[in-house]
């Protein structure tokens, strides 16, 4: 089958090409899905550059989220009973989505609503499951919390804005690189936003909260002064959830440990791809039970920045690298 490969196994976007690889085989509890579309994620860029540790046993082919049609099933898991050949589905995998077909556990599949396009469905799994993990499983969100979401126009934060609003957040703040992105987030439901290029979001958060700070922070950046400012604007018993290292692994200034102790700030890093199937399935189940009904009712919105043919995968990766997007970049397997 065809799949996106990387010349030399790692490199810049220009090293991507359509390769020929063996079709995956399925084992007990798995299904084979003919992929219609797949979503791009930041981890794909890091993996392409050789900077992302791929989980043991995962395919080296990029991509973790996809939509398509079940082509083959293999018994052995109770979940398989609800899926059959010909079903339109979307799901999350440990890798291998940049391809014509993928072998994936039936436990990580979701039936695609008829009203939802394959392109929209392909952009749900990673963003919405990650947002659910960050807010509820790790961040211990509770009704009335004040929330700060960095990279406000990213797919994860756009999902988190909606999830937090539905769950009863008192205030939702975002950071972004432009007023256009901030306005976009506010229109979706954020209380306010701050341009991290021109404003000290730590000081601004303290101003708008009358010095109280925020109760939950979801941070993808860490470096470039972010973690220091997170601590500055953290409320008492604040939870800071670290999801990625887009701004680097080192802080610009020393961390104020005294503030961490005094305010009882909890800082916790987490990942999703390295988690067990059982852990991921629990998040998948929550998505099905709580979010999918609202997608059906148009209560939640999906944002696709641009749809590419996978033949233009180089351009798709370069667009993601530009940091100019709002929502998902999707590729169609044609």
């Amino acid at each position: 089958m065809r799949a996106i490969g990387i010349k030399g196994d790692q490199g810049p976007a220009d090293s991507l090409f359509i390769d020929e690889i063996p079709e995956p085989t399925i084992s007990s509890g798995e299904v084979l899905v003919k992929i219609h579309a797949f979503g791009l994620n930041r981890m794909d860029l890091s993996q392409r550059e050789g900077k992302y540790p791929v989980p043991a046993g995962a395919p080296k082919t990029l991509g973790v989220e996809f939509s398509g049609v079940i082509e083959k099933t293999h018994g052995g898991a109770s979940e398989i009973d609800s899926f059959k050949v010909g079903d339109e589905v979307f799901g999350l995998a440990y890798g291998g989505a940049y391809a014509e077909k993928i072998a994936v556990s039936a436990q990580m599949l979701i039936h695609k609503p008829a009203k939802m396009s394959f392109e929209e469905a392909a952009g749900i799994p990673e963003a919405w499951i990650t947002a659910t993990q960050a807010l509820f499983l790790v961040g211990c969100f509770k009704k009335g919390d004040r929330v700060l979401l960095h990279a406000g126009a990213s797919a994860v934060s756009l999902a988190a804005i909606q999830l937090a609003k539905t769950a009863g957040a008192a205030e939702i703040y975002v950071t972004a690189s432009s007023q256009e992105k901030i306005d976009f987030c506010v229109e979706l439901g954020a209380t306010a936003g701050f341009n991290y290029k021109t404003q000290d979001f730590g000081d601004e958060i303290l101003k708008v909260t009358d010095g109280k700070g925020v109760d939950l922070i979801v941070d993808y950046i860490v470096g470039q002064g972010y973690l220091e400012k997170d601590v500055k604007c953290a409320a008492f018993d604040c939870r800071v959830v670290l999801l990625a290292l887009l701004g680097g692994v080192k802080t610009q200034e020393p961390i104020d440990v005294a503030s961490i102790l005094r305010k009882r700030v909890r800082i916790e890093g987490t990942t999703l791809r390295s988690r067990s199937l059982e852990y991921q399935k629990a998040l998948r189940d929550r998505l099905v039970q709580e979010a999918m009904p609202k997608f059906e009712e148009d209560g939640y919105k999906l944002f696709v920045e641009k749809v590419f043919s996978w033949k233009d995968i180089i351009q798709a990766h370069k667009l993601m690298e530009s940091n100019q997007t709002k929502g998902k970049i999707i590729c169609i397997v044609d």
Side-chain angles (χ1 to χ4, degrees), residues 49-117:
E49 295 171 347
K51 299 175 181 177
Y52 189 96
V54 179
K60 72 174 185 178
T61 301
L62 299 171
V64 298
E65 60 181 349
F66 61 91
S67 63
V69 176
I70 294 178
E71 189 171 275
K72 188 184 300 183
T73 66
H74 193 306
S78 60
E79 288 77 12
I80 207 75
D81 296 334
S82 65
F83 295 103
K84 63 183 184 300
V85 172
D87 282 353
E88 296 181 347
V89 296
F90 62 99
L92 188 68
Y94 286 103
Y98 284 28
E100 290 184 302
K101 299 179 183 182
I102 189 170
V104 62
S105 169
Q107 298 182 64
M108 294 308 297
L109 286 182
I110 299 171
H111 287 285
K112 183 183 78 65
K115 66 186 296 183
M116 186 180 291
S117 70

Side-chain angles (χ1 to χ4, degrees), residues 206-258:
L206 291 175
K207 288 178 186 177
V208 297
T209 60
D210 295 324
K212 297 183 181 69
V214 290
D215 305 294
L216 173 58
I217 301 172
V218 180
D219 189 346
Y220 318 84
I221 316 298
V222 183
Q224 298 180 354
Y226 271 67
L227 190 56
E228 301 96 307
K229 295 170 187 173
D230 289 342
V231 173
K232 180 195 298 184
C233 67
F236 279 87
D237 297 309
C238 176
R239 290 86 63 201
V240 181
V241 182
L242 308 181
L243 291 180
L245 301 167
L246 300 182
V249 299
K250 295 183 178 181
T251 59
Q252 288 183 334
E253 300 175 5
I255 298 295
D256 184 356
V257 178

Side-chain angles (χ1 to χ4, degrees), residues 52-305:
Y52 189 96
V54 179
K60 72 174 185 178
T61 301
L62 299 171
V64 298
E65 60 181 349
F66 61 91
S67 63
V69 176
I70 294 178
E71 189 171 275
K72 188 184 300 183
T73 66
H74 193 306
S78 60
E79 288 77 12
I80 207 75
D81 296 334
S82 65
F83 295 103
K84 63 183 184 300
V85 172
D87 282 353
E88 296 181 347
V89 296
F90 62 99
L92 188 68
Y94 286 103
Y98 284 28
E100 290 184 302
K101 299 179 183 182
I102 189 170
V104 62
S105 169
Q107 298 182 64
M108 294 308 297
L109 286 182
I110 299 171
H111 287 285
K112 183 183 78 65
K115 66 186 296 183
M116 186 180 291
S117 70
F118 281 108
E119 293 85 355
E120 290 174 322
I124 291 177
E126 178 67 18
W128 285 80
I129 288 178
T130 297
T132 299
Q133 177 197 30
L135 288 174
F136 303 110
L137 266 67
V138 181
C140 301
F141 174 92
K142 59 185 184 299
K143 186 176 181 180
D145 273 352
R146 295 180 296 272
V147 179
L148 170 60
L149 305 168
H150 292 307
S154 68
V156 175
S157 285
L158 293 177
I161 289 170
Q162 298 176 78
L163 289 168
K165 185 177 180 180
T166 299
E171 297 161 10
I172 304 170
Y173 300 105
V174 299
T175 63
S177 61
S178 70
Q179 191 60 45
E180 178 188 2
K181 289 184 177 181
I182 290 170
D183 292 343
F184 185 78
C185 294
V186 170
E187 183 178 348
L188 183 61
T191 307
F194 308 101
N195 187 326
Y196 65 82
K197 293 184 176 181
T198 60
Q199 296 173 289
D200 184 320
F201 69 80
D203 289 337
E204 296 299 327
I205 289 290
L206 291 175
K207 288 178 186 177
V208 297
T209 60
D210 295 324
K212 297 183 181 69
V214 290
D215 305 294
L216 173 58
I217 301 172
V218 180
D219 189 346
Y220 318 84
I221 316 298
V222 183
Q224 298 180 354
Y226 271 67
L227 190 56
E228 301 96 307
K229 295 170 187 173
D230 289 342
V231 173
K232 180 195 298 184
C233 67
F236 279 87
D237 297 309
C238 176
R239 290 86 63 201
V240 181
V241 182
L242 308 181
L243 291 180
L245 301 167
L246 300 182
V249 299
K250 295 183 178 181
T251 59
Q252 288 183 334
E253 300 175 5
I255 298 295
D256 184 356
V257 178
S259 290
I260 295 175
L261 292 172
R262 179 175 58 83
K263 294 193 284 188
R264 301 185 298 272
V265 177
R266 191 187 90 198
I267 301 174
E268 183 171 350
T270 187
T271 59
L272 179 61
R273 193 176 181 186
S274 64
R275 298 284 191 171
S276 69
L277 178 60
E278 292 73 22
Y279 182 97
Q280 292 191 10
K281 181 184 180 300
L283 287 164
R284 173 265 182 204
D285 291 349
R286 186 162 183 166
L287 178 66
V288 169
Q289 295 161 11
E290 300 177 9
M292 291 311 297
K294 292 190 73 66
F295 283 125
E296 294 271 17
E297 301 162 1
D298 296 323
Y300 282 152
K301 297 179 180 179
L302 299 171
F303 298 97
V304 176
E305 172 72 26

